Amino acid sequence: MSFSNDVREEIARSITDRDRQFACLYGILLYSRIFTPQQVVLQSESPVFARLMPVLFRAVFQAELRPDVRTVSRGGDQFMVSYTITDAAQIGRICEVYHIHPEKREIRLSNLVNNSLSAFLAGVFFGCGSVIDPNKEYHLEFNTPSALLCGDLQKVLGSIGVAGRSLMRKNMYVLYLKDSEHIEDTLTCMGAQQCTIELMNIKIRKDMRNKANRVRNCDEANINKVVSAAMRQMQDIQLIIRCGQLEAMSPELQELAELRLENPELSLKELGELLSNPIGRSGVNHRFQKIAAMAEELRKRAANS
């Protein structure tokens, strides 16, 4: 089961009374890809859609409408269910009930009574919407059939605080959401509260994984810095020893140099704690700077000799 189908299952269960059924069917019809005076076609690969459509038609039109129902195999377990109406009188009845003008389809808020906006959005989602599994990415979109309907839907979503962006794709006007919180608000409004909770849980798991990765990467970077610094310090000390200058260093620097050679894996803080007179990290770093300066001077002498 896909996340998108889970959303359809949940919002279908929320379409319970006639007002919500009326608004849901309105959303499906209004945003159908084909709606002309000669033909209305409603299509979906969703089994939820196939179960819901007869219920909605009976609730709103009783026996007045008799769509031609066809199921076409798309390969494997995939099937396309198509509801087609070609009778001019029946199409005229749909237009009369919902005040739809096929040549200029637009949202009529007067069709949405008794707080049925959520059911209307559910219908639009059934008709032209999809949402990607949030484990992969955050993306919800509506493939609307006209610029006017795309703009109307953008305004309706804006009324609930959701900002969508639009683009053209294969002659369809796509309204899409990328912001996870806006997707959550849309799912909740449509009646998919459990799917909203699942999306939020996925976000929490992703955030935890990202934080763990950042900590691990930070730890690795710190380890690499410690190793690189220790290697430079040991090279400096070994150069000083080869040049017979170890005894020329102060007792404090000699002790630190010997500790570093014996403990190449320790941090500056840990080295400082092992000194006969323990000092902090900054004190150890200052002493290594003196050792580095001494080694650099020996290198210059060797280059000039």
Side-chain angles (χ1 to χ4, degrees), residues 17-36:
D17 58 49
R18 188 186 181 282
D19 286 338
R20 294 181 63 78
Q21 290 166 338
F22 183 90
C24 183
L25 184 57
Y26 177 46
I28 294 172
L29 288 165
L30 188 65
Y31 279 81
S32 62
R33 183 169 297 192
I34 301 174
F35 195 120
T36 70

Side-chain angles (χ1 to χ4, degrees), residues 41-265:
V41 181
L42 311 173
Q43 293 180 323
S44 177
E45 293 181 358
S46 167
V48 187
F49 179 88
R51 296 197 305 268
L52 183 64
M53 288 307 298
V55 175
L56 297 180
F57 274 121
R58 282 197 302 270
V60 178
F61 293 102
Q62 287 77 49
E64 290 182 73
L65 298 185
R66 293 177 298 279
D68 175 37
V69 184
R70 296 184 181 182
T71 303
V72 179
S73 175
R74 301 296 292 271
D77 297 330
Q78 296 295 314
F79 294 89
M80 173 69 77
V81 179
S82 175
Y83 290 80
T84 303
I85 302 171
T86 55
D87 183 274
Q90 293 184 20
I91 295 174
R93 181 59 178 152
I94 292 173
C95 294
E96 177 187 359
V97 169
Y98 284 115
H99 308 286
I100 296 174
H101 300 288
E103 69 283 355
K104 187 184 177 182
R105 281 185 277 168
E106 59 185 336
I107 296 176
R108 291 179 64 94
L109 295 178
S110 58
N111 284 330
L112 310 179
V113 297
N114 297 331
N115 298 317
S116 57
L117 175 63
S118 61
F120 169 74
L121 286 175
V124 176
F125 185 81
F126 270 116
C128 67
S130 64
V131 59
I132 292 177
D133 183 346
N135 282 296
K136 299 176 182 177
E137 65 174 304
Y138 304 126
H139 185 94
L140 185 152
E141 70 177 37
F142 300 91
N143 287 275
T144 68
S146 73
L148 180 57
L149 285 174
C150 185
D152 280 358
L153 182 59
Q154 196 166 22
K155 291 175 185 175
V156 168
L157 290 176
S159 72
I160 62 171
V162 172
R165 296 182 178 181
S166 60
L167 57 83
M168 279 286 294
R169 184 199 299 148
K170 297 181 180 178
N171 297 320
M172 297 294 286
Y173 297 82
V174 181
L175 183 64
Y176 67 94
L177 312 176
K178 285 287 191 182
D179 184 281
S180 61
E181 292 185 2
H182 287 180
I183 295 174
E184 291 166 10
D185 291 343
T186 304
L187 293 178
T188 300
C189 181
M190 292 191 303
Q193 288 86 353
Q194 289 302 314
C195 288
T196 300
I197 292 171
E198 176 60 19
L199 190 155
M200 295 170 71
N201 287 336
I202 289 170
K203 280 176 60 179
I204 292 171
R205 291 195 293 271
K206 280 186 176 180
D207 287 344
M208 291 178 66
R209 283 199 299 268
N210 290 338
K211 287 178 182 177
N213 287 337
R214 286 196 294 270
V215 169
R216 184 174 64 250
N217 291 339
C218 183
D219 287 344
E220 290 177 356
N222 288 336
I223 290 171
N224 290 336
K225 286 173 63 177
V226 169
V227 170
S228 296
M231 289 179 63
R232 288 195 304 272
Q233 292 156 6
M234 291 176 67
Q235 289 170 357
D236 290 342
I237 295 166
Q238 288 165 350
L239 173 63
I240 292 170
I241 292 173
R242 287 198 303 271
C243 294
Q245 297 297 309
L246 183 64
E247 299 300 324
M249 292 196 295
S250 66
E252 293 85 0
L253 294 185
Q254 286 186 47
E255 181 185 15
L256 180 60
E258 291 167 357
L259 276 176
R260 170 49 85 201
L261 292 176
E262 294 168 2
N263 304 279
E265 77 286 355

